[in-house]
């Protein structure tokens, strides 16, 4: 029985900001050891879904279970990579310090991060290829580097489930490769990753499962089953336009991929 | 009066010594709390809290008929705290945004404060005399006992900052990440705001409700220019606050009719100006210099046509 418990089970989740529903009656199941993409147009409630799972927004209805138990009991098992635009990168601190923040929850009150935390942080920085940036002031990082610092911070949380909000946003092709390799390593280690993702072209290549969202859940399941043109049309409405139906990408150059990503992301949200 | 004479007075003149010590301590406390206000983009909250403290000061006097600094300080603190609570609930329950809520609360509380103050001044009670010094502050009224209460409360506030160092750092940098890890962010918010209220209340007697927010903002803004490490920003802000306190006290004692509160604030502002201009990495002048050198270096180089310049 225990092996069949989902990493994340969301039931009847409804979130509203001032009467306007952002998520409506959403059910999602994420099995352990999978990479899941959360996909949908701007304003579909993708970020809100992650935040609701993390207990960061007030829910009007619904239930979230992490490995079969409420989130409040399972916090240590969940790592979080917020959108990198959500913080002020001019904050007076350096890369190593930000990564060590991932240990603060486990450290508890009054205890300072020490040698062990520093080693864990350096190890995580090495995994994301940022070791040489450890003492760099965070305002001097590029977008891709900021993203990798946040990934490293989540890695030191040593979680079993990772929730990532647009981990590929604004990173170059090389960094994107590095990040996806990292996610695959996490999966190989039995971890579960749920990531908000914008680039429809790369969904079949990068992810096992997909959640299609547009306030309501459109579909949720293995990419091969639910990542269909019809479901995409349902999620994106007419806005998908003449975009070609998604095919398994064959890695034919990241440049064209990035270009397509731009096209699909044109209706920019008001962030 | 020359510098030696001033230093001599600083050590041997009881009044000047007391005023300088009190101003230094409040400079340290408000400097440290100001760093967190700045990093959390709440610098103007300090202005609202200090203006909102005025009705608290006058009400505390009207209720107790005492002008004991500790009594008035408690009144100021309660009113300041009430103001932040009012602001939070306005932002949460209406569509009014933070800046408008801030302006509203500031002016309403300050208006009530002025009303109460003029009422108190008409009372046939001589004890009200001097209440109006809380508007612009009068450091000369500080006595040794006041310095001890300022130092005691201030030390307690600083101790809390040290104890919750990593928590306060994390909620200032990434509040949602802190919340996702299960940190009690609302409690930490409340503690930090309370400390800010205490820092402001401590400074009111010397600097006054109108200028107090400068003591929060100026040392922090100056300190941020010089370093990229939080610990150093905090230590520098504390030092700048102390320097402004002592410097302001000394200058106002040397000149005729220079009141201490505004002088302290002007010294703090001078420190900001110097920091904005001359700080090596973030200052304007070093940046211009770098740009100038860079341009000249480029001008000296012939355009590269595939050959080595």
């Amino acid at each position: 029985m225990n092996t069949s418990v989902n990493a994340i089970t969301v039931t009847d989740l409804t979130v509203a900001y001032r009467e306007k529903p952002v998520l409506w009656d959403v059910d999602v199941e994420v099995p352990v050891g999978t990479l899941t993409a959360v996909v949908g147009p701007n304003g579909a409630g993708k970020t809100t879904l992650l935040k609701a799972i993390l207990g960061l927004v007030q829910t009007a209805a619904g239930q979230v279970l992490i490995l079969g138990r409420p989130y409040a009991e399972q916090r240590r098992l969940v790592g979080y990579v917020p959108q990198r635009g959500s913080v002020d990168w001019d904050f007076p601190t350096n890369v190593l310090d930000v990564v060590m923040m991932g240990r603060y929850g486990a450290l508890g009150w009054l205890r300072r991060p020490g040698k062990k935390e520093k080693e864990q942080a350096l190890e995580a920085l090495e995994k994301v290829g940022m070791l040489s940036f450890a003492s760099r002031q965070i305002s001097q990082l590029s977008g891709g580097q900021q993203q990798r610092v946040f990934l490293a911070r989540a890695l030191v949380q040593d979680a079993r489930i990772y929730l990532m909000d647009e981990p590929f946003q604004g990173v170059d092709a090389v960094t994107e490769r590095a990040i996806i390799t990292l996610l695959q390593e996490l999966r190989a280690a039995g971890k579960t990753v749920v990531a908000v993702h914008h680039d429809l072209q790369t969904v079949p290549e990068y992810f096992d499962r997909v959640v299609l969202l547009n306030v309501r859940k459109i579909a949720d399941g293995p990419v091969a089953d639910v990542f269909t043109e019809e479901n995409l049309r349902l999620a994106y409405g007419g806005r998908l336009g003449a975009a070609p139906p998604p095919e398994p990408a064959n890695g034919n150059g990241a440049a064209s991929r990035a270009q397509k990503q731009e096209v699909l992301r044109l209706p920019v949200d008001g962030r | 009066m020359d510098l030696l004479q001033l230093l001599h007075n600083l050590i041997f003149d009881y009044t000047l010594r007391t005023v300088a010590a009190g101003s230094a301590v409040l400079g340290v406390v408000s400097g440290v709390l100001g760093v967190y206000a700045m990093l959390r983009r709440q610098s103007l909250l300090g202005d609202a809290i200090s203006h909102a403290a005025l009705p608290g000061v006058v009400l505390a006097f009207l209720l107790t008929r005492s002008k004991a600094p500790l009594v008035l300080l408690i009144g100021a603190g309660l009113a300041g705290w009430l103001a932040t609570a009012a602001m939070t609930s306005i932002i949460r329950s209406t569509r009014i945004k933070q800046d408008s809520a801030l302006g509203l609360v500031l002016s309403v509380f300050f208006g009530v404060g002025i009303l109460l103050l003029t009422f108190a001044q008409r009372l046939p009670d001589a004890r009200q005399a001097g209440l109006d010094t809380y508007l612009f502050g009068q450091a000369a009224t500080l006595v040794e006992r006041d310095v001890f209460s300022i130092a005691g409360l201030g030390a307690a506030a600083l101790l809390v900052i040290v104890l919750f160092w990593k928590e306060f750092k994390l909620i200032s940098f990434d509040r949602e990440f802190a919340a996702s890890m299960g940190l009690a962010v609302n409690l930490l918010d409340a503690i930090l705001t309370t400390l800010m209220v205490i820092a402001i209340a401590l400074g009111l007697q010397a600097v006054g409700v109108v200028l107090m927010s400068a003591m929060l903002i100026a040392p922090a803004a100056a300190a941020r220019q010089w370093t990229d490490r939080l610990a150093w920003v905090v230590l520098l802000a504390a030092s700048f606050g102390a320097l402004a306190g002592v410097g302001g006290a000394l200058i106002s004692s040397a000149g005729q009719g220079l009141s201490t509160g505004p002088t302290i604030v002007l010294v703090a502002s001078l420190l900001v100006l110097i920091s904005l201009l001359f700080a090596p990495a973030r200052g304007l002048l070093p940046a211009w210099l770098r740009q100038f050198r860079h341009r000249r270096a480029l001008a000296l180089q012939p355009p590269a046509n595939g050959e080595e310049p």
Side-chain angles (χ1 to χ4, degrees), chain B residues 90-109:
Chain B
I90 287 176
I91 295 166
R92 277 215 192 117
S93 54
T94 72
R95 286 177 178 232
I96 294 172
K97 299 280 186 296
Q98 188 179 2
D99 54 338
S100 313
L102 217 115
L104 269 175
V105 168
L106 183 153
S107 40
V108 168
F109 273 70

Side-chain angles (χ1 to χ4, degrees), chain A residues 18-19 51 54 56-57 71 75-76 78-82 86-94 97-98 101-113 137-140 150 153-154 157, chain B residues 35 38-41 90-96 161-170 172-184 187-188 191 224 227-231 233 282:
Chain A
R18 300 195 182 284
E19 286 115 56
K51 287 188 177 174
L54 290 163
L56 296 178
V57 295
Y71 179 70
R75 274 199 183 102
R76 294 284 136 72
V78 183
Y80 177 39
V81 180
S86 64
V87 303
D88 174 13
W89 288 94
D90 196 32
F91 194 88
T93 188
N94 64 23
D97 200 39
V98 170
M101 288 176 184
R103 295 305 302 163
Y104 285 9
L107 266 176
W109 299 100
L110 302 182
R111 288 185 48 211
R112 296 272 167 105
Q137 155 67 18
I138 58 169
S139 65
Q140 287 162 17
F150 266 6
R153 183 177 70 170
Q157 289 187 279
Chain B
V35 171
M38 171 183 75
L39 293 175
R40 286 151 56 82
R41 294 162 192 268
I90 287 176
I91 295 166
R92 277 215 192 117
S93 54
T94 72
R95 286 177 178 232
I96 294 172
I161 293 279
V162 172
L163 285 179
F164 296 135
W165 178 263
K166 73 175 193 303
E167 285 80 10
F168 286 152
K169 177 166 69 181
L170 184 52
S172 303
F173 175 62
D174 194 345
R175 195 176 178 281
E176 286 204 322
F177 184 72
S180 82
M181 289 198 305
L183 277 185
L187 179 68
L188 288 165
I191 295 174
R224 182 67 189 91
T227 170
D228 281 330
R229 298 301 314 252
L230 180 62
V233 177
R282 299 165 78 98

Side-chain angles (χ1 to χ4, degrees), chain B residues 103-187:
Chain B
L104 269 175
V105 168
L106 183 153
S107 40
V108 168
F109 273 70
F110 191 58
V112 172
I114 295 287
L115 209 69
L116 287 171
L117 186 62
T118 45
F119 170 75
Q121 281 172 330
R122 294 214 185 91
L123 287 180
D125 184 340
R127 283 173 297 186
Q128 60 79 18
L131 262 187
D132 56 342
T133 58
Y134 275 84
L135 270 181
F136 299 109
Q138 195 168 37
T141 59
L142 288 174
V143 295
E144 211 160 52
R145 210 185 40 209
D146 302 339
V147 177
F148 285 132
S149 14
I150 293 179
L153 273 166
L158 295 184
L159 181 69
V160 175
I161 293 279
V162 172
L163 285 179
F164 296 135
W165 178 263
K166 73 175 193 303
E167 285 80 10
F168 286 152
K169 177 166 69 181
L170 184 52
I171 64 165
S172 303
F173 175 62
D174 194 345
R175 195 176 178 281
E176 286 204 322
F177 184 72
S180 82
M181 289 198 305
L183 277 185
V185 287
N186 288 326
L187 179 68

Side-chain angles (χ1 to χ4, degrees), chain A residues 151-202:
Chain A
L151 274 169
R153 183 177 70 170
L155 288 181
V156 303
Q157 289 187 279
D158 198 20
R160 285 168 63 185
I161 298 166
Y162 287 96
L163 301 182
M164 306 186 176
D165 203 343
E166 298 193 37
F168 302 106
Q169 195 239 329
V171 305
D172 61 27
V174 179
T175 309
E176 185 164 327
R177 271 273 127 223
I179 292 177
I180 195 64
T181 307
L182 190 73
L183 300 194
Q184 282 157 356
E185 281 169 18
L186 286 173
R187 176 178 56 189
K191 318 267 185 182
T192 309
V193 177
V194 177
V196 171
H197 194 54
H198 262 300
D199 180 8
L200 296 180
Q201 312 300 323
T202 53

